[in-house]
Amino acid sequence: MTKEELLKGTDLFLLDLDGTVYLSDTPIAGVREALQGLRAMGKRLVYLTNNSSRTREEYVEKLTRLGLFGAEDDVYTSAHAAATYLGAHHAGAKVYALATDAVREELRERGVRLTEEAPDVCLLAYDTRLTFAKMKKFNEFLATGATFIATHPDDVCPTDGVPMPDVGSFLALFERSSGRRPDVICGKPFIVMGACIAQKYRVPAARTCMVGDRMHTDIRFGNANGMKALLVLSGETTRESMCNFPDKPDLVLASLAEIL
């Protein structure tokens, strides 16, 4: 697929964050101008992230500070997908959530009924203030049969230096300690988030393009949900390493700056 074909056939661009539009706190060269060009063409831009340690407002603040956020843009996280899934499939359920205080408050605002005792559902988000006491409690609830939902499967979170353990690492821990695997994972590359995106933005999957730097999350997400998939080589994946995955991008660019 050519750039021209992808642009003509896409109304909604889903944009991964780190490695796709910025690296840590530095916008990738030329991406700001590319985003402006897409907006000028009437394209809708939604920043789509698996990272469930921050709220939408925190991401909007960062993207605005970096000059990357437009007035009509939006941010959607795996925590939002989890809240939507809970509302659709576990309405009124009591939920014990491992999440940051800010994300817990965001979950409450989205109608999730949080509890500290006898939950129906255990929700594992990216809690960067995790303690042993919280893990012990979560494990006990899993062992007694609570439904197990995770926001996303990433093993590590990219940071300067050594990557930090992410939700996928804690999924491995809880599997060893409780014998449980999650009943549902909401974020990329799974279809729960794809269904949530379709419901919220009302754009057909065939007119949607996932843009990201990771084959096993971003590109797999696009493939799994019937979307176009644009791989950018400004982050984790190289032209050599992309061959190690079964996932198929529709287009590969050095960075999003090349889209126009």
Side-chain angles (χ1 to χ4, degrees):
M1 180 178 291
T2 66
K3 289 188 290 186
E4 292 75 19
E5 289 170 336
L6 186 142
L7 286 168
K8 184 177 180 180
T10 301
D11 299 318
L12 172 63
F13 282 88
L14 305 175
L15 304 166
D16 179 54
L17 293 174
D18 209 341
T20 300
V21 297
Y22 58 64
L23 293 170
S24 296
D25 282 324
T26 304
I28 292 169
V31 164
R32 186 183 292 118
E33 294 75 17
L35 297 175
Q36 292 171 346
L38 290 173
R39 295 185 193 106
M41 296 175 67
K43 309 302 184 183
R44 183 74 191 273
L45 306 182
V46 174
Y47 294 95
L48 189 70
T49 179
N50 267 358
N51 192 328
S52 55
S53 68
R54 297 181 180 181
T55 65
R56 177 188 183 277
E57 288 69 26
E58 288 172 314
Y59 279 115
V60 169
E61 186 281 327
K62 177 174 182 176
L63 289 163
T64 301
R65 174 168 49 85
L66 297 179
L68 298 171
F69 196 76
E72 302 300 320
D73 297 353
D74 203 0
V75 172
Y76 199 87
T77 76
S78 62
H80 298 160
T84 299
Y85 180 86
L86 286 166
H89 298 278
H90 298 275
K94 295 186 294 182
V95 179
Y96 180 67
L98 287 189
T100 62
D101 289 343
V103 169
R104 285 171 60 85
E105 184 57 34
E106 190 174 58
L107 290 169
R108 285 193 190 94
E109 291 171 357
R110 290 174 176 265
V112 178
R113 183 185 173 194
L114 298 182
T115 186
E116 294 296 313
E117 300 296 337
D120 305 302
V121 176
C122 284
L123 174 63
L124 179 61
Y126 190 20
D127 186 357
T128 53
R129 297 292 183 267
L130 192 60
T131 66
F132 184 82
K134 289 182 186 179
M135 290 193 295
K136 179 175 181 292
K137 200 170 188 179
F138 195 91
N139 188 71
E140 289 169 352
F141 292 146
L142 290 181
T144 53
T147 299
F148 187 9
I149 297 175
T151 56
H152 63 287
D154 299 30
D155 291 334
V156 296
C157 181
T159 54
D160 292 332
V162 179
M164 298 187 297
D166 205 332
V167 167
S169 297
F170 293 106
L171 289 177
L173 182 153
F174 286 119
E175 182 179 355
R176 293 295 296 269
S177 62
S178 71
R180 295 283 305 278
R181 294 183 178 181
D183 299 296
V184 175
I185 302 178
C186 296
K188 299 178 289 185
F190 298 101
I191 61 172
V192 170
M193 184 122 85
C196 292
I197 291 294
Q199 176 185 334
K200 181 174 176 63
Y201 300 104
R202 302 296 180 184
V203 176
R207 303 287 303 178
T208 301
C209 180
M210 180 68 223
V211 184
D213 68 304
R214 283 182 166 184
M215 292 291 291
H216 63 290
T217 54
D218 303 316
I219 304 309
R220 190 169 298 173
F221 176 78
N223 291 171
N225 287 281
M227 303 170 180
K228 299 177 185 67
L230 168 57
L231 175 68
V232 291
L233 304 178
S234 49
E236 178 177 303
T237 304
T238 65
R239 287 196 181 274
E240 293 72 30
S241 67
M242 65 179 285
C243 300
N244 298 326
F245 298 89
D247 318 286
K248 301 297 182 184
D250 294 288
L251 182 65
V252 181
L253 298 175
S255 82
L256 185 58
E258 292 187 351
I259 188 63
L260 300 179

